[in-house]
Amino acid sequence: MASPFARLVTAVQYQITLAFALVLLPIATLASRLGLTLPLYRLIERSEAAYESAR
């Protein structure tokens, strides 16, 4: 079981990751139209897994 501080840190990190992904969404859409992909889903999945394991 994680300490309350560790849970808080992972929750904040998860929220920052989601905000970062939302900010990059227009860039990711443009990159997709150009045939490129940005691996944002991996960053979000890893952050979510860390958040869930800290709960």
Side-chain angles (χ1 to χ4, degrees):
M1 177 138 209
S3 69
F5 181 71
R7 285 194 304 261
L8 176 66
V9 169
T10 54
V12 168
Q13 182 259 335
Y14 180 61
Q15 295 299 319
I16 289 171
T17 302
L18 290 178
F20 180 69
L22 286 174
V23 167
L24 288 180
L25 188 60
I27 296 169
T29 302
L30 177 63
S32 177
R33 289 185 183 193
L34 296 174
L36 305 171
T37 58
L38 297 177
L40 294 176
Y41 66 93
R42 288 189 287 183
L43 179 64
I44 294 171
E45 286 176 350
R46 288 179 184 167
S47 295
E48 183 179 14
Y51 175 70
E52 290 297 325
S53 69
R55 290 178 93 196

